[in-house]
Amino acid sequence: MSVSDAPAAVDEARLWRRHMSLAEIGATAKGGVDRQALSEEEARARALLAEWASELGYAVSVDGISNLFIRREGTDPALAPVLTGSHIDSQPTGGKFDGAYGVLAGIEALQALDEAGIETARPIETVAWLNEEGSRFAPGMMGSEAFAGLRPFDEIAAVADRGGTSVADDLPRAFAATPGAERRGIGFPVAAFVEAHIEQGPALERAGIPIGVVTGIQGVRRMRVRVTGEEAHAGTTPKSARRDALWEAARMVDALQRRIHRDDEHRFTVGMMEIRPNVPSVVAAEVLFSIDIRHPDSDTLARLEAEVDGICRNSLVACDVETWTIAQAPSIWFDDGVVDTIESAAVDLELGNMRLFSGAGHDARQLSFVCPTGMIFVPCEKGISHNEAENASPADLADGARVLAETLVRLANG
Ligand code: GLV
Ligand code: MN
Ligand code: MN
């Protein structure tokens, strides 16, 4: 198929500059960003997106959960829009590109369409979904889950961070960041969703291929384990009389590593542990820890989840344990039509490409339940992500934005 004029109008330097400007908000000493959901920093990032959007003449709107939309009008405004985008929140020790790339590539694509003088029948909207990462308010993917009707607003609004501040408490900060934005209800008909993202793994870089055509996303279970023991004096309490929650939690983590983290196909992470009272001379009375399990096969994932409670109980010595699941998602496969559209855009642009299955979770998972959905990956340096050292090349980011722009033209006129 012939290529529209949009990809040639993608401006590599402009796209890179916007990444660097956004990365100043919440910048960390090690070169990454800390821009957690509904923080002051995230609000400033929202304001910057809205400023860019109004300079370009696009309407900005926010829905009831503070998903932010930037709309380039179609020749038939009544048609359901094509959506693109990702998230601008980050992990506390996050990088400049995870999430930000999908939003900035979306803005770049809209601007490229303008500069190429392209009209589309459908409107195209670039969205920044609320709280993809879930490190402050867990679990994440809040904006896309609400949009797709997978999780009720009231349940999301009640989620609190470690300091006791709830989503409902801090939502006004997000709304205040874009005072001129039109308010919309949560969820509306969408013709298709395409999310651009850095790969967050090493496959593209190793293969020397600039474009990943993503076929789906592996499933995940997010769990919590609470081990309850009893405070006791470190100097006077004999081992036989202790109910040491930290030692027993450590036994559990080790047993889970051996039983669940069987090989490289299984992904098992204990990334968070809270210890009470967390002082050197008192035996720990309570430990709360997180479990993140991923596997491409949904049945295997369900089996692994079911094993967790027994493994923890078998590790007990004198404490009690409680396990529960806070989020579960099966593996999903993207829409063949959208996957093929992305792939043919890359082929027609003569950009090397390969099909990939995503190990990381993305908002595209939630959207796949309500509209035809796909994703475009670009390489990132050494596959490093969820790390302040995360990096990507301006040329690769621009190539991904070219494929995105062409894909959007085809979907919005298809
Ligand atoms: C998303 O950031 C994930 O944890 O996969
Ligand atoms: Mn992301
Ligand atoms: Mn992430």
Side-chain angles (χ1 to χ4, degrees):
M1 202 191 276
S2 66
V3 174
S4 76
D5 291 336
V10 164
D11 183 330
E12 177 181 317
R14 178 171 68 198
L15 178 60
W16 183 257
R17 266 198 314 277
R18 287 203 180 112
H19 277 91
M20 296 308 111
S21 302
L22 193 59
E24 283 171 20
I25 304 176
T28 60
K30 286 185 179 168
V33 295
D34 176 2
R35 202 167 51 228
Q36 295 179 63
L38 300 179
S39 63
E40 280 298 340
E41 291 76 20
E42 197 235 27
R44 279 165 50 212
R46 287 167 177 271
L48 182 59
L49 293 185
E51 186 186 310
W52 285 332
S54 14
E55 279 166 17
L56 295 167
Y58 302 136
V60 177
S61 59
V62 278
D63 68 11
I65 195 85
S66 79
N67 294 316
L68 175 73
F69 301 88
I70 296 170
R71 178 174 171 110
R72 181 178 188 270
E73 200 52 87
T75 53
D76 187 350
L79 289 177
V82 172
L83 277 193
T84 185
S86 190
H87 58 98
I88 51 165
D89 69 307
S90 80
Q91 297 286 343
T93 53
K96 300 184 186 82
F97 304 93
D98 176 0
Y101 173 56
V103 176
L104 297 180
I107 294 174
E108 183 60 36
L110 300 189
Q111 192 170 359
L113 263 70
D114 280 348
E115 290 177 358
I118 293 172
E119 292 193 326
T120 58
R122 293 184 184 279
I124 305 175
E125 300 197 26
T126 295
V127 53
W129 301 110
L130 170 69
N131 187 26
E132 193 272 353
E133 297 289 11
S135 38
R136 179 179 178 206
F137 297 108
M141 312 278 175
M142 281 178 167
S144 53
E145 286 204 325
F147 186 89
L150 300 171
R151 209 171 159 209
F153 175 86
D154 289 347
E155 191 184 308
I156 295 174
V159 174
D161 68 10
R162 287 180 210 186
T165 302
S166 70
V167 168
D169 291 335
D170 269 0
L171 268 178
R173 174 186 280 155
F175 295 131
T178 54
E182 178 208 336
R183 286 290 285 272
R184 277 160 124 162
I186 302 173
F188 48 81
V190 175
F193 177 63
V194 184
E195 179 169 0
H197 208 283
I198 57 166
E199 182 201 335
Q200 307 183 280
L204 291 171
E205 188 183 69
R206 278 188 193 152
I209 289 178
I211 300 295
V213 180
V214 188
T215 52
I217 299 182
Q218 78 173 340
V220 62
R221 289 294 185 283
R222 295 194 162 101
M223 303 180 71
R224 294 289 185 267
V225 179
R226 181 182 288 117
V227 187
T228 309
E230 193 173 23
E231 286 98 342
H233 194 293
T236 61
T237 318
K239 184 168 187 188
S240 58
R242 292 184 183 205
R243 297 176 65 220
D244 184 342
L246 181 51
W247 174 49
E248 296 191 28
R251 288 167 54 88
M252 289 173 200
V253 173
D254 183 53
L256 291 162
Q257 280 288 352
R258 282 182 281 114
R259 298 276 300 279
I260 307 257
H261 211 174
R262 297 167 194 180
D263 54 38
D264 278 348
E265 206 189 11
H266 295 73
R267 302 280 156 85
F268 172 85
T269 307
V270 174
M272 181 207 82
M273 192 172 266
E274 289 173 10
I275 303 163
R276 267 187 275 277
N278 204 19
V279 288
S281 299
V282 179
V283 172
E286 187 186 288
V287 169
L288 176 76
F289 68 88
S290 63
I291 292 179
D292 180 309
I293 313 175
R294 318 227 188 171
H295 195 279
D297 179 61
S298 298
D299 294 338
T300 304
L301 199 53
R303 262 201 318 279
L304 296 170
E305 175 190 18
E307 285 180 35
V308 165
D309 193 72
I311 295 170
C312 291
R313 276 177 206 288
N314 283 337
S315 309
L316 287 173
V317 178
C319 290
D320 298 312
V321 69
E322 193 190 345
T323 67
W324 69 99
T325 299
I326 66 160
Q328 53 178 308
S331 291
I332 56 103
W333 278 265
F334 289 137
D335 178 79
D336 286 341
V338 177
V339 171
D340 290 346
T341 305
I342 292 168
E343 192 171 55
S344 31
V347 168
D348 296 341
L349 280 160
E350 297 179 7
L351 289 167
N353 61 89
M354 65 191 258
R355 291 191 171 214
L356 284 173
F357 192 66
S358 177
H362 297 285
D363 294 303
R365 183 210 304 281
Q366 281 61 250
L367 272 288
S368 76
F369 293 105
V370 293
C371 66
T373 296
M375 286 189 79
I376 301 164
F377 277 175
V378 296
C380 59
E381 201 175 286
K382 300 192 185 88
I384 294 169
S385 187
H386 283 190
N387 184 318
E388 290 153 281
E390 185 182 87
N391 199 15
S393 87
D396 286 339
L397 298 173
D399 278 342
R402 290 187 183 102
V403 175
L404 177 66
E406 183 62 18
T407 301
L408 294 173
V409 170
R410 292 180 185 188
L411 291 173
N413 276 330

